[in-house]
Amino acid sequence: MTAHSAKEYRFRGLAVSRGISTGELHFKGRRFEEPKRRSIKPEQLESEEALFHQAIAKTRETIQALKDQLLARGGDHSEAHIFDAHLLVLEDQPVIDEILQQLRKEHSNVASVYYKVILRYIDSLKSINDPYLRERAIDIEDVAGRLLANLSNEDSGATDNETPHVLFAQDLAPSDTVGLNRSLLLGFATRLGSFTSHTAIMARALGIPGVVGLDIPKGKLQAGQEVILDGYNGVIIVNPTEETRTEYRRLSEQQEILNQRLEELRGEPAQTADGKSIILSGNIEFGHEVDLVNRRGAAGVGLYRTEFFYFEQDRQPNEDQQAKAYGDVAETVDPNGVIIRTLDVGADKFYADGRHAEPNPFLGWRGIRVSLAEPKVFKTQLRACLRASARGKVRIMYPMISGIEELRQSNAFLHECQEELRKEGIPFDEDVEVGCMIELPSAAIMAHQLAPEVDFFSIGTNDLIQYTIAVDRVNERVAHLYQPAHPAILRLIEMIVKAAHDNSIWVGVCGEMAGDPLFAPVLIGLGVDELSVGPSQILRVKHALRHLDSAECEDLVAELMTLQTVEEITERCRTMAKKRYGDFYQ
Ligand code: PEP
Ligand code: MG
């Protein structure tokens, strides 16, 4: 511990990966930088071209090696898939042709030609006001940086840092995160990025604390400075005082104890202190995550987002492939069951080839609209879900239902599939339950009409909030307006629960709101029967549930309904959470 007189600074960003780390600050330089331009003679053209092809081959090897490295470290296939996307960028033939053409025209060294062409692509992507496309520009920069390093024969390895450190970067490209030596990396902090960026996803998968979106004035940070990175609250503290260090040491120790305590809850029932049972299940995006859900003692899978399984493949998975993937999950969680949500492509969930690119994708061709317009794709998936139901408990759920017509059309396709399978003598569960997500305000308002035609509802608060308050869920500029505690949201949930219970069906919540222990009292008080949460939240939510009293939660909701502002509502929720499980709110 060094005594120091430098002033302590705190900078706030977005917490994307939990954990606290203390250490030296190191900088990550950007590799995508303009190389020196040199003129070349016509007779040198051939060797420049050869150099370019060699650099592509070498870059391909590096990307492949990084992918293998990630998989060997136990990273999952979704992250490894990022490198497949990088390979596509690297080998994009029209871009390669354009570079070779420019090279012949300009008679400059291939590195400077390459930089110019790629920069134009990156700039045009960055100029579009779309966080998804801005993230893709980072991917291209990453690949281009590697290729430029290979063209100049530089080492394109991720870092030469040899002491444990917190890494600071403008952007941290996904491949950088993998290339880092984990035993030395204490955390990462970046100026850019969002919760949904590849880097954030990968950091969480690798268990590295992370804070992104840090707005730090130039010159405020220096390599070698002592920092504390707080991945819980999204803060980086530069030159922490002895007092701050002590405070954070205590926090880390507390967190460790809490994690151990949570582990002990695995086998305990998910019920309130007064004995009201809640179905606590897990959300998954990839089949293999089901093991995590099981290990944390959840009651099966409450949301299987199947679109990620589609993206993983080079082409649309066929019926057999889907039936196998869904059946494997169903078998693993039997008898609890899995709720398979039919394809919800569009909006923030794209096909890699951008086939759904639209100017206003959240209001566009998305979810059930795509399925109903492409019956072949839809029926293939429905048949696969039904076939999987012969191997374990399966429930089928439709996303983005806006009203009764879409629900009836979807059910008609399902009945068609059931009829076909019967005729073909293929076994399936004749009593398969069917539900729909309630994530559009129109569906919430008409929930009483939808309820008699399904077996359950699952409230998708992620979309319900964005469509009700008109706040883009992935736009960092309006993130402060994205408020689960908005009185309108509470009223909509209340309406949905009433519609469900009046029609004797159960209702769950599978949006991120369900995974936030702050809102557990409200959701319980509102009468929700099931909470489906990300695997990392299962035990935290169970802990919260087990400390709540259901009658007190109902009283809380009655009080919240008399309040007008988000602030007042949040404050009451916080008071209850602190009172009941305050050790999680320090
Ligand atoms: C939701 O909208 O709350 C939800 C769970 O669906 P997704 O996040 O996949 O849109
Ligand atoms: Mg949704």
Side-chain angles (χ1 to χ4, degrees), residues 283 303 305 307 341 344 348-349 366 437 439 459-464 473 510-512:
N283 294 349
L303 170 65
R305 291 179 163 103
E307 46 283 355
R341 183 178 71 181
D344 184 20
D348 57 335
K349 306 177 194 86
R366 176 184 174 190
M437 293 202 58
E439 51 185 343
I459 305 175
T461 47
N462 301 345
D463 280 313
L464 188 63
R473 67 191 250 192
C510 63
E512 293 302 305

